[in-house]
């Protein structure tokens, strides 16, 4: 999100970067990393593990970052300054450099026994680890399994480098140089085809009231739609997230419109479409609503055996009828014959692409933090293997961004 305006009045330059420093001689290089990040207009806050403080003092990082350094999860003073939840919210990006074998192991277990690991559990920001350790520790199958597990949950791994090590040995395990780490960050923030484009995303379920107390709805946590909104915003898009009721906090730098019923979602979407470049329908919209809504709570004796229902508008189908229409991407959550149902919806609703996932399995789909999907478009099928919804969202936004770019170039060629 480097160098772009936010919709919620956040800084227009640079990112809010949270640097985690764990125990290792390479911690001294992270002092220079903070300096370079600040030169590139990023706001940097630092958290140190207790082992890190044996190598560099918190005062050094405080002086170079211009902010107090977080050291303790339960320190009353630092809690008052910025607790683990505030730090988790502050971060657009978390980088752990150096990441020791110990912190990697604790993160892979989902532990929260110090400030750094607690923040990593509480954040929705992308996290990158920059490992630094003895080459035999790095190659140890336990470390490799921990790293693989973190990758599976959406962590990026930058490095390590090969070279002479502090212990006098040679091998893979040196922390990347600050320059290389800065390059990783700036590449991530480089301008993408969807930079400054407007993306409207629907997410979560809708609720269709029967009376002021009861409603019918669909199962949906909203996690996939919210992750897509966060990833699109991080890629520089202007994102409008239109969501039904969920337990999630709206992602940073996203315009958030809260609705309850499918009719309200339809109205909200229709207002946005004339100014929108890309539409992603990730909401589980209720196909029907009760025909009559009682003004007061009905007694159970008021209900007969049948419930009269009226069809809701198909929002994404209406979006696909617009001329010119935005790039329109739908989701199909299916329990069986996934490909068949998804392809049918792709054609019937007039979509550019459909993202299909199987639901009703032990892992993936509703409520889960991980998912695997297949995307169908005029380009054929693309499989996205099981991974965290955060990481999957980045991959899907990457695909959508490239497809949007190609479509725009093709239409320019056709005019020419
Ligand atoms: O519910 P269904 O499987 O038909 O959903 C497929 C796609 O259509 C999803 O992208 C969903 O958000 C969208 N949809 C919609 N309006 C509806 C029903 C579904 O936009 N009324």
């Amino acid at each position: 999100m480097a160098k772009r305006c936010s919709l919620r009045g956040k800084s227009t330059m640079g990112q809010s970067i949270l640097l985690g420093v764990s125990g290792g001689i390479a911690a001294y290089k992270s002092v220079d990393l903070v300096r370079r990040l600040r030169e590139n207009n990023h706001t940097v806050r630092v958290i140190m593990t207790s082992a890190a403080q044996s190598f560099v003092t918190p005062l050094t990082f405080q002086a170079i970052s211009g902010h107090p350094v977080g050291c303790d999860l339960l320190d009353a003073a630092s809690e008052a300054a910025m607790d683990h939840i505030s730090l988790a919210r502050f971060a657009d990006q978390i980088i752990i450099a150096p990441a020791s074998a110990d912190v990697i192991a604790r993160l892979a277990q989902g532990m929260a026994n110090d400030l750094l690991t607690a923040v990593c559990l509480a954040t929705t920001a992308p996290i990158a680890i920059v490992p630094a350790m003895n080459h035999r520790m790095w190659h140890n199958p336990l470390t490799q399994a921990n790293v693989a597990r973190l990758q599976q949950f959406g962590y990026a791994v930058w490095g390590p480098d090969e070279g002479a090590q502090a212990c006098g040995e040679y091998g893979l395990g040196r922390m990347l140089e600050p320059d290389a780490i800065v390059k990783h960050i700036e590449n991530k923030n480089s301008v993408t085809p969807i930079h400054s484009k407007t993306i409207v995303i629907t997410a979560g379920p809708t609720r269709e009231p029967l009376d002021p107390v009861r409603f019918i709805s669909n199962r949906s946590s909203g996690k996939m739609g919210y992750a897509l909104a966060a990833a699109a915003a991080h890629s520089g898009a202007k994102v409008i997230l239109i969501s039904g009721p969920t337990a999630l906090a709206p992602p940073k730098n996203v315009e958030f419109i809260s609705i309850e019923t499918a009719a309200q979602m339809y109205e909200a979407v229709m207002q946005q479409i004339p100014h929108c470049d890309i539409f992603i329908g990730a909401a589980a919209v209720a196909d029907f609503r009760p025909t009559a809504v009682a003004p007061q709570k009905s007694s159970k004796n008021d209900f007969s055996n049948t419930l009269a229902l009226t069809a809701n508008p198909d929002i994404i189908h209406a979006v696909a009828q617009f001329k010119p229409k935005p790039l329109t991407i739908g989701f199909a959550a299916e329990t069986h014959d996934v490909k068949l149902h998804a392809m049918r919806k792709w054609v019937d609703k007039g979509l550019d692409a459909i993202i299909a996932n199987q639901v009703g399995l032990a892992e993936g789909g509703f409520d889960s933090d991980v998912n695997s999907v297949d995307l169908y478009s005029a380009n054929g099928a693309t499989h996205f293997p099981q991974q965290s919804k955060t990481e999957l969202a980045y991959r899907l936004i990457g695909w959508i961004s490239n497809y949007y770019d190609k479509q725009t170039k093709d239409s320019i060629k056709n005019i020419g």
Side-chain angles (χ1 to χ4, degrees):
M1 91 162 69
K3 299 176 186 55
R4 108 191 128 150
C5 294
S6 112
L7 295 172
R8 290 206 296 175
K10 203 169 164 286
S11 138
T12 53
M13 298 287 279
Q15 282 193 290
S16 299
I17 294 183
L18 189 69
L19 175 68
V21 183
S22 65
I25 184 63
Y28 79 91
K29 290 193 202 172
S30 298
V31 177
D32 190 37
L33 174 62
V34 174
R35 185 182 62 76
R36 285 165 197 251
L37 290 173
R38 289 195 69 193
E39 277 173 6
N40 285 11
N41 290 317
H42 299 297
T43 303
V44 186
R45 282 184 173 264
V46 180
I47 295 177
M48 299 181 79
T49 63
S50 57
Q53 294 165 53
S54 306
F55 294 91
V56 182
T57 66
L59 202 58
T60 309
F61 278 109
Q62 178 172 322
I64 208 88
S65 70
H67 291 286
V69 172
C71 292
D72 293 302
L73 184 56
L74 302 172
D75 168 357
S78 76
E79 283 280 301
M82 233 190 180
D83 62 28
H84 62 289
I85 300 298
S86 313
L87 284 165
R89 285 195 193 123
F90 154 85
D92 291 322
Q93 166 80 59
I94 296 182
I95 297 156
I96 305 178
S100 64
D102 178 69
V103 86
I104 289 172
R106 288 189 291 121
L107 288 168
Q109 290 309 309
M111 290 176 76
N113 57 347
D114 64 3
L115 183 59
L116 179 56
T117 48
V119 169
C120 288
L121 269 193
T123 196
T124 54
I127 307 176
I129 56 168
V130 191
M133 66 195 75
N134 168 275
H135 64 102
R136 274 190 296 272
M137 290 170 81
W138 172 251
H139 287 299
N140 189 299
L142 282 170
T143 303
Q144 288 303 308
N146 289 335
V147 170
R149 185 168 161 80
L150 288 182
Q151 282 176 314
Q152 189 197 341
F153 282 92
Y155 281 61
V157 181
W158 298 343
D161 262 348
E162 189 172 313
Q165 301 210 280
C167 54
E169 297 182 6
Y170 184 94
L172 200 61
R174 274 173 67 94
M175 185 172 101
L176 295 190
E177 293 302 321
D179 259 356
I181 299 173
V182 171
K183 245 183 227 150
H184 269 288
I185 295 166
E186 304 308 356
N187 281 347
K188 231 179 152 207
N189 295 331
S190 62
V191 174
T192 64
I194 58 164
H195 196 269
S196 304
K197 296 286 173 275
T198 301
I199 305 190
V200 175
I201 300 177
T202 63
T206 63
R207 282 183 184 169
E208 313 299 329
L210 278 150
D211 64 29
V213 177
R214 303 181 181 89
F215 58 82
I216 56 175
S217 189
N218 281 337
R219 281 189 68 181
S220 169
S221 65
K223 284 177 186 169
M224 196 65 241
Y226 279 52
L228 285 165
H234 194 255
S235 305
K238 175 183 164 186
V239 180
I240 299 154
L241 177 61
I242 302 173
S243 174
T246 74
L248 306 172
K252 287 171 86 176
N253 304 315
V254 158
E255 186 180 329
F256 186 71
I257 301 175
S258 165
I259 55 84
E260 197 149 321
T261 64
Q264 289 166 354
M265 184 175 270
Y266 177 83
E267 288 304 321
V269 168
M270 290 305 128
Q271 278 186 21
Q272 302 297 333
I273 294 306
H275 329 285
C276 137
D277 302 294
I278 299 171
F279 176 81
I280 306 175
V285 185
D287 290 319
F288 297 95
R289 63 179 181 275
T291 304
V293 183
Q296 290 182 316
K297 185 181 173 186
S298 318
S299 137
K300 61 182 170 192
N301 301 328
D302 295 339
F303 293 104
S304 63
N305 286 336
T306 52
L307 180 62
L309 296 172
T310 300
N312 275 327
D314 191 318
I315 300 167
I316 206 165
H317 182 258
V319 170
Q321 303 310 303
F322 265 72
K323 299 225 173 1
K325 79 167 174 62
L327 182 74
T328 308
I329 319 271
F331 271 81
E334 309 291 343
T335 54
H336 61 285
D337 297 330
V338 179
K339 184 172 178 184
L340 182 74
H341 287 122
M343 302 287 268
R344 239 183 232 155
K345 285 176 186 173
W346 175 39
V347 175
D348 292 349
K349 294 180 188 246
L351 309 181
D352 291 289
I354 193 148
I355 299 163
N357 69 313
Q358 178 146 18
V359 290
L361 303 174
E363 267 217 279
F366 302 131
D367 292 331
S368 173
D369 288 323
V370 295
N371 205 2
S372 76
V373 297
D374 290 289
L375 184 153
Y376 303 102
S377 74
N379 282 359
T382 311
H383 179 65
F384 294 82
Q386 179 145 309
Q387 55 201 299
S388 74
K389 284 184 177 170
T390 308
E391 186 67 11
L392 179 60
Y394 275 92
R395 301 247 156 89
L396 290 172
I397 290 295
W399 187 96
I400 291 167
S401 184
N402 289 336
Y403 194 83
Y404 177 83
D405 192 37
K406 188 177 170 303
Q407 235 199 13
T408 312
K409 283 182 184 146
D410 285 352
S411 65
I412 292 168
K413 246 188 261 156
N414 289 342
I415 292 167

